[in-house]
Amino acid sequence: MSLAEKQKQASPLMIIIAFATVYIVWGSTYFFIAKAVAHIPPFILGALRFIAAGLLLLLWCALKKEKLFNLQQIKHASITGIMLLFVGTGAVIWVEKTLPSSLVGVLIASQALWIVLLDKANWKVNFTSRNTIIGLLIGFAGVVLLFIESVSGVVSDSDAGSGALVISFLILLIGMLSWSSGSIYSKKHSTGSTTVNSAWQMLVAGLVFIPASFINKEWAGFDWQAVPAEAWLSTLYLVVFGSLAAFSAYVWLLSVRPVTQVSTHVYVNPVVAVLLGVLFAGEHMSGLQLAGLAVILTSVLLINLSKYRKSKSVPGESKPSNATGKAMLAGAGKQAVCTE
C-alpha cells in the first residue's frame, strides 16, 4: 500500500492522538531518563528499557497472530533500531549524566533541521516549500532563544569541565545525526506491520546495549538493591510510555504522515522538558525562555497547518505527500521512539 493510500485510510482522531502522545510523552522522557540514569548506568538502563519493551510488544504481536519472523523485515528493523535507539536514544541517556534534561530536550529540537538537510532525495520538495522552510527557521530561532540562556547556566554551574561538556555536545550531535538518518532509512526500507517493526527495533537495540554495558564496565560495582524506587518507577515509565506508547505512535505516524510533519515533535518536546524541569526539578524559566517556547509552538503550527491546507487544496494529495513523506525520520510501518 502506498503512502498516499495509507494517509487516506488513517483516522484523523488516531493521527491527533498519536501526535499528542509523541509530543507530550517524549517530551517527558528527558525528565525520567535523568531520574533513572542518576542511579542506573546508561547502557544498562538502555538494555533494561528496550529489551523489556521489545519483548512485551512481540508478545502482543504474537497474541494478535501477526507474522513475526520475516528475515527482510527483521534486517531493516534491526538497522533502524540500532540507528534510532542504540545510537540516537543511547546518546541522550549518556549525556544526561552531564547535562540537565531540559537542556538536552532543547538541543534535540535542532534535529528537525538535520532531517531536512540529510534527506537529499527530497531536497527539491523540502526546499521549494516556503511555509516548511519558514516554519523550520522559526523553530530553530526558538531553539536558539532557549539554548542561549540554558547553556550559559550549565557552563557556570556544572561541576564538569568544559572539555566534558564539549564531548557531551558532540555525542548528542552524533545521536541526532544517527536518529535523523535512521528515520529516513526507515521511511524508505521498512515493510510489514508497524507494530512488529517497532518490537524488533526495540529488542535488537536493547540487546546491543548489553555488550556496550560490559565494554563500559558498568556491571562492576553496580548494586541492584541500591537503586531507589524512584529510579525503577522512572524506568517503568520509559518502558511503558516512552517506548511502547510513544515510539510505536511515532513509527505509525511515519507510515501515514510526511516525515517533515512528524519531525515537528522535536520542537514541542523541549517545551514539555523545560516545563517539567521548572515544575519538578526547581529549574528557572526566564522571559527569554518563555519567548523561545512561544516561537517554537508557532513554528509547529505553521508547518502542520501548511501540510493540512496543502492536503485539502490538492485532490488526492498523493504525489506531494508521497514525495514529502519519503523525506524522513522516535519508528512505524515504513517506520522508525528521544529519545528519546
Side-chain angles (χ1 to χ4, degrees):
M1 183 183 296
S2 68
L3 176 63
E5 292 173 330
K6 289 182 179 180
Q7 288 178 329
K8 290 178 181 179
Q9 293 184 9
S11 163
L13 178 60
M14 288 302 299
I15 290 176
I16 292 173
I17 293 174
F19 267 112
T21 301
V22 172
Y23 280 176
I24 298 173
V25 173
W26 262 355
S28 68
T29 56
Y30 298 103
F31 176 81
F32 288 101
I33 286 173
K35 292 292 185 182
V37 81
H39 304 281
I40 303 174
F43 291 138
I44 293 179
L45 175 61
L48 291 173
R49 173 182 176 180
F50 293 116
I51 289 177
L55 288 174
L56 287 172
L57 202 54
L58 276 178
L59 177 60
W60 171 255
C61 293
L63 292 174
K64 292 177 62 180
K65 301 186 183 304
E66 295 197 50
K67 185 177 181 180
L68 301 181
F69 300 101
N70 180 297
L71 292 181
Q72 189 73 358
Q73 182 180 19
I74 294 175
K75 171 189 172 182
H76 291 310
S78 298
I79 294 172
T80 304
I82 292 172
M83 295 177 73
L84 292 178
L85 301 176
F86 176 67
V87 182
T89 303
V92 171
I93 297 173
W94 177 271
V95 302
E96 285 205 30
K97 296 194 305 177
T98 305
L99 303 177
S101 61
S102 58
L103 177 58
V104 174
V106 168
L107 293 171
I108 289 293
S110 64
Q111 189 167 277
L113 291 178
W114 290 115
I115 287 171
V116 174
L117 292 174
L118 291 173
D119 189 22
K120 185 177 180 180
N122 287 279
W123 279 354
K124 183 177 180 180
V125 174
N126 292 330
F127 291 111
T128 54
S129 172
R130 184 178 62 181
N131 286 338
T132 296
I133 295 175
I134 293 175
L136 290 170
L137 293 177
I138 291 176
F140 185 70
V143 172
V144 171
L145 288 175
L146 284 174
F147 178 77
I148 290 174
E149 188 158 324
S150 297
V151 74
S152 62
V154 172
V155 173
S156 60
D157 298 338
S158 177
D159 294 330
S162 58
L165 291 175
V166 171
I167 291 175
S168 294
F169 289 138
L170 290 176
I171 290 175
L172 192 58
L173 175 60
I174 292 173
M176 288 190 291
L177 291 173
S178 180
W179 182 280
S180 301
S181 301
S183 295
I184 295 170
Y185 176 89
S186 171
K187 192 73 179 178
K188 294 179 178 179
H189 298 286
S190 296
T191 58
S193 165
T194 60
T195 309
V196 173
N197 281 332
S198 297
W200 282 116
Q201 286 173 6
M202 289 188 284
L203 181 58
V204 170
L207 292 174
V208 175
F209 271 108
I210 293 178
S213 67
F214 282 102
I215 294 174
N216 199 39
K217 299 180 181 179
E218 293 182 349
W219 294 95
F222 175 59
D223 185 1
W224 294 86
Q225 296 181 342
V227 178
E230 179 186 59
W232 288 124
L233 290 174
S234 296
T235 303
L236 181 62
Y237 179 90
L238 293 171
V239 170
V240 175
F241 294 99
S243 295
L244 291 178
F247 186 70
S248 297
Y250 173 77
V251 171
W252 179 75
L253 281 173
L254 281 178
S255 71
V256 299
R257 302 307 305 163
V259 92
T260 46
Q261 189 175 17
V262 181
S263 71
T264 56
H265 77 87
V266 299
Y267 286 156
V268 181
N269 291 163
V271 177
V272 178
V274 171
L275 288 176
L276 286 176
V278 171
L279 295 175
F280 299 104
E283 298 179 7
H284 173 69
M285 179 177 288
S286 67
L288 185 63
Q289 288 174 317
L290 287 172
L293 296 181
V295 170
I296 287 172
L297 289 175
T298 300
S299 76
V300 174
L301 288 174
L302 180 61
I303 293 173
N304 279 283
L305 287 175
S306 172
K307 298 294 181 184
Y308 177 77
R309 288 169 179 168
K310 187 175 182 180
S311 67
K312 292 297 183 182
S313 62
V314 181
E317 195 204 301
S318 117
K319 290 185 180 179
S321 50
N322 190 40
T324 306
K326 286 184 178 177
M328 144 177 183
L329 202 218
K334 287 198 164 185
Q335 116 201 137
V337 329
C338 161
T339 115
E340 294 76 15

